[in-house]
Amino acid sequence: EPEVTQTPSHQVTQMGQEVILRCVPISNHLYFYWYRQILGQKVEFLVSFYNNEISEKSEIFDDQFSVERPDGSNFTLKIRSTKLEDSAMYFCASSEARSYEQYFGPGTRLTVT
Amino acid sequence: SQKIEQNSEALNIQEGKTATLTCNYTNYSPAYLQWYRQDPGRGPVFLLLIRENEKEKRKERLKVTFDTTLKQSLFHITASQPADSATYLCALGPYGGATNKLIFGTGTLLAVQP
């Protein structure tokens, strides 16, 4: 069964450093998303991406964040200058154009020290 | 902004019983409401989606209802098993338009005792 994959599973970085989180969505999906979940809190929407551009972003997704689909398979989230409060689990998700359930990856745990 | 409330307390039930989880929301109703399962340290896993014009949806031992007047969804697991123990998330969306953004509730932790 097709699944969303994410790398790395755990990333530790120092405050102020740049990180890139990587995702491979399900191959025939057209909509891509990033969500985050701070420990013990709810899953929060960050950004959605369709047709090679951002279609919607939340207030959390400020100028420090960017997304890219560098080729036909990968989807990346970059945080330019990490802060302590960026520590969270980051989930990538994808969905088909016409159905609306989203398929989530296993997540990348980001720890900013 | 949209507010979603799920049972904040953990739900403990005996194996074989029916578990009923509640999702209440404020403000405007979404076109779709979804339920996901989340195990510790893992990503949410899609379970069921129900549309605003559907009252009830079933899949195997799972049943979801959606009442846009009450602004409430109920999620039932019949003949529950210890393997059903997990956190269950209610998610509103999509609302329509160009995106499929989901707004999640905080989830209800279900523990099924053997």
Side-chain angles (χ1 to χ4, degrees):
Chain A
E1 187 174 324
E3 58 182 20
V4 176
T5 60
Q6 290 185 243
T7 54
S9 56
H10 191 191
Q11 173 93 47
V12 181
T13 189
Q14 288 191 328
M15 196 167 51
Q17 295 297 304
E18 174 183 287
V19 294
I20 298 176
L21 310 183
R22 291 183 167 79
C23 168
V24 179
I26 294 173
S27 61
N28 65 329
H29 285 186
L30 299 178
Y31 289 84
F32 313 111
Y33 314 84
W34 284 100
Y35 291 83
R36 80 172 186 190
Q37 187 174 31
I38 295 170
L39 189 63
Q41 298 187 24
K42 63 182 179 180
V43 177
E44 299 177 287
F45 169 78
L46 292 178
V47 65
S48 61
F49 193 85
Y50 170 70
N51 201 25
N52 284 318
E53 61 182 23
I54 291 174
S55 49
E56 188 173 2
K57 59 184 180 180
S58 72
E59 293 172 355
I60 303 167
F61 194 88
D62 60 22
D63 293 344
Q64 292 301 313
F65 291 86
S66 62
V67 289
E68 194 177 36
R69 189 155 162 82
D71 52 42
S73 58
N74 291 284
F75 180 50
T76 63
L77 173 69
K78 182 194 292 187
I79 309 175
R80 286 190 187 80
S81 178
T82 50
K83 307 183 186 87
L84 293 175
E85 54 264 37
D86 293 328
S87 295
M89 194 76 148
Y90 287 81
F91 295 111
C92 172
S94 67
S95 66
E96 289 183 69
R98 291 190 178 187
S99 63
Y100 297 90
E101 63 268 26
Q102 296 184 14
Y103 293 86
F104 284 75
T108 293
R109 180 170 298 285
L110 176 65
T111 303
V112 182
T113 61
Chain B
S1 61
Q2 188 68 275
K3 188 177 175 185
I4 305 170
E5 290 183 355
Q6 296 188 247
N7 313 61
S8 56
E9 301 292 326
L11 185 62
N12 292 287
I13 63 167
Q14 284 296 120
E15 183 175 4
K17 301 292 186 185
T18 296
T20 298
L21 284 64
T22 305
C23 174
N24 294 295
Y25 60 93
T26 58
N27 298 334
Y28 42 92
S29 290
Y32 305 85
L33 188 146
Q34 307 187 34
W35 284 87
Y36 288 78
R37 168 183 173 142
Q38 187 175 31
D39 291 286
R42 309 294 299 273
V45 174
F46 171 75
L47 295 174
L48 278 170
L49 176 151
I50 187 165
R51 293 172 173 77
E52 61 180 341
N53 60 351
E54 296 177 316
K55 295 296 183 187
E56 182 179 297
K57 197 82 167 280
R58 291 176 185 259
K59 179 182 175 183
E60 299 173 352
R61 294 185 295 112
L62 309 180
K63 184 178 87 171
V64 172
T65 63
F66 189 12
D67 189 325
T68 56
T69 302
L70 291 179
K71 297 187 178 180
Q72 181 182 78
S73 175
L74 299 178
F75 177 78
H76 306 271
I77 306 175
T78 58
S80 59
Q81 304 164 0
D84 295 327
S85 299
T87 296
Y88 290 85
L89 309 177
C90 169
L92 270 55
Y95 281 80
T99 73
N100 292 348
K101 177 179 82 170
L102 296 179
I103 303 173
F104 282 89
T106 51
T108 297
L109 178 61
L110 173 67
V112 181
Q113 310 298 333

